[in-house]
Amino acid sequence: MSTLIREVESANEQYSNSFGKKGNLALPPARRFAILTCMDARLDPAKYAGLAEGDAHVIRNAGGRASDDAIRSLVISYKLLGTKEWFVIHHTDCGMALFTDAILRRLLANSLETAQLTEAGWKDVGKGPGSKEAEFIDWLTFPDEVSSVVDDVKRIRNHPLVPKNIPIYGYVYDVKTGKLISVPEATEIGKAFVEEFA
């Protein structure tokens, strides 16, 4: 058994011992909103957005991208669990801006082992075999976090299963200061439209 497994199990034991009334939390999020954000370990949505257990849905993936699966989660969050507002929050110094789809495909074609970032770029230090399956995945890389927030809010807003009355807000989290920085262009694209009936 690894040291890490023991650490996780010990931490969970302490957590569960003081779980208390959290076992009675309702299934729908109490504050009725969802956040789509990056899996980066430096981001703690509970802290930067003031969340407690049961408050909101937090959907995380590499880059916080509006992938088909992320949109699937947002639609379920709204349709079945009642969220009424969504946030797309990317961040500064994101690893997704350090490579392109072509680079990742090349690395995976050579080896499935962990690559290394050098001054000359990404280097595959593992032995093969790799896999050509990487060719069939859109890795959703991006050159900068502001344009990716705008693109993702636009993709969510234009999805046929996303109701027009849900506001979608765009932000960039600054990993050096902990501050959320508004992306007005994204929030404008994501503004809610209330249908008027004659």
Side-chain angles (χ1 to χ4, degrees):
M1 182 181 289
S2 77
T3 302
L4 182 59
I5 290 173
R6 286 193 296 273
E7 289 172 354
V8 168
E9 288 178 350
S10 175
N12 179 255
E13 182 70 25
Q14 291 176 25
Y15 177 72
S16 66
N17 286 340
S18 62
F19 202 66
K21 294 183 180 182
K22 292 176 189 172
N24 298 324
L25 289 170
L27 180 61
R31 293 177 59 194
R32 301 286 190 222
F33 74 94
I35 295 172
L36 171 59
T37 196
C38 186
M39 66 185 193
D40 191 300
R42 297 170 292 178
L43 279 63
D44 187 343
K47 290 181 181 169
Y48 74 59
L51 303 177
E53 283 111 325
D55 276 352
H57 288 151
V58 178
I59 300 152
R60 298 181 78 156
N61 65 33
R65 300 310 310 269
S67 62
D68 289 343
D69 190 58
I71 294 173
R72 175 190 70 91
S73 296
L74 288 168
V75 169
I76 291 169
S77 176
Y78 160 77
K79 184 68 176 176
L80 301 180
L81 295 163
T83 58
K84 301 190 180 313
E85 299 176 76
W86 297 342
F87 291 76
V88 174
I89 303 174
H90 294 189
H91 66 95
T92 59
D93 193 34
C94 186
M96 292 294 288
L98 298 177
F99 61 95
T100 63
D101 283 23
I103 289 170
L104 188 54
R105 288 177 179 138
R106 176 183 52 78
L107 291 168
L108 286 166
N110 292 330
S111 167
L112 298 181
E113 295 181 34
T114 302
Q116 197 173 63
L117 184 58
T118 68
E119 289 183 17
W122 287 99
K123 180 180 177 189
D124 213 332
V125 294
K127 295 180 180 177
S131 175
K132 296 289 185 189
E133 291 298 313
E135 294 292 328
F136 305 108
I137 296 176
D138 182 354
W139 296 99
L140 302 173
T141 58
F142 54 84
D144 72 89
E145 63 275 359
V146 171
S147 65
S148 67
V149 169
V150 171
D151 291 346
D152 281 355
V153 169
K154 190 179 298 179
R155 184 161 195 263
I156 296 166
R157 170 52 67 223
N158 292 330
H159 196 281
L161 297 178
V162 172
K164 302 298 183 204
N165 64 334
I166 295 179
I168 308 163
Y169 312 109
Y171 285 86
V172 170
Y173 173 81
D174 187 329
V175 298
K176 301 295 185 197
T177 67
K179 186 163 182 64
L180 286 175
I181 303 160
S182 176
V183 180
E185 181 183 353
T187 299
E188 179 62 24
I189 290 166
K191 71 181 177 185
F193 292 94
V194 180
E195 295 184 45
E196 295 181 18
F197 298 97

